[in-house]
Each structure stands twice: as structure tokens, then as C-alpha cells.
């Protein structure tokens, strides 16, 4: 399979999918808790560690996926979920996920064509 093994491009794409999937889950959790008193929203960062791994030429090192509390100001119920910000992040993440999924699909097609199985 293209997403596993020593292929650095496949490994980078796989890492990006994992990071985006984690981000989608965290955003969904934030939105689900928009009215939960004392809830603190979180955000996900994986791009910086993925970029560093690629720059080092070590795509096999899985980037760390950092889930951190956001710095959004706390509201009246001691909750800091900003629904507008979370909705925009969800849409942006969905588009990023679609782009990476398309890259994986296109890459699989190229490999299949090159292997003569297509």
C-alpha cells in the first residue's frame, strides 16, 4: 500500500491525514461543548513537526500531533469555545483533508500506471 513502507512521500501524506483527522476530532469536540460550563477549547498543531521532519529528510519520523488549549478569552459561563472560529476551522480542515486525500488517490493512480496494472 502506498501509505506504508519506506516511501517518504507516502509517509508524509499519511502523517498529514493523521494530523488532519485529529484536528477534525478536536474541533468536533469543541463544537459539541460550546455550552458546557468551564470547558476549554483545544487546537491541533502537527504542521510544524511534519515540516521539520521533511526538511530533515526523515519522513519516517512520525510528527508529533500537539493538542493544546486555545488562548481564546473565556466567556460568561467560563467556557472559551468560539463557535464562529471553530466553524471556520472545521471548513478549512475539511478542504485540507480533501486535498490530501486527492493527492493520495492521484499518487496511487500514478504508481498503478507506472506498474502497468492500470
Amino acid at each position: 500500500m502506498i501509505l506504508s513502507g519506506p516511501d517518504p512521500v507516502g509517509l508524509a501524506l499519511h502523517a498529514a491525514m493523521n494530523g488532519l483527522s485529529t484536528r477534525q476530532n478536536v474541533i468536533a469536540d469543541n463544537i459539541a461543548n460550546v455550552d458546557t460550563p468551564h470547558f476549554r477549547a483545544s487546537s491541533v498543531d502537527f504542521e510544524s513537526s511534519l515540516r521539520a521532519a521533511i526538511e530533515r529528510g526523515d519522513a519516517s519520523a512520525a510528527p508529533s500531533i500537539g493538542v493544546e488549549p486555545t488562548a481564546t478569552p473565556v466567556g460568561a459561563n467560563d467556557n472559551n469555545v468560539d463557535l464562529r472560529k471553530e466553524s471556520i476551522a472545521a471548513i478549512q480542515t475539511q478542504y485540507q483533508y480533501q486535498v490530501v486525500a486527492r493527492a493520495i488517490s492521484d499518487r496511487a493512480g500514478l504508481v498503478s500506471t507506472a506498474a502497468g496494472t492500470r
Side-chain angles (χ1 to χ4, degrees), residues 1-15 59-60 104 107:
M1 177 97 192
I2 290 176
L3 295 179
S4 63
D7 173 33
V9 174
L11 291 170
L13 290 171
H14 185 216
S60 64
I104 291 169
R107 192 161 193 297

Side-chain angles (χ1 to χ4, degrees), residues 5 15 25-26 28-29 31 39 46 48 52-53 61 63 66-67 74 82 90 100 106 109 116:
N25 289 334
V26 167
D29 187 51
I31 291 172
F39 181 81
F46 67 91
S48 56
V67 179
V74 175
D82 181 343
V100 174
D106 289 351

Side-chain angles (χ1 to χ4, degrees), residues 13 15 28 35-36 40 49 54 59-60 63 67 98 104 116-117:
L13 290 171
D35 292 325
T36 303
R40 294 293 189 264
S49 63
I54 291 170
S60 64
V67 179
Q98 289 173 354
I104 291 169
T117 59

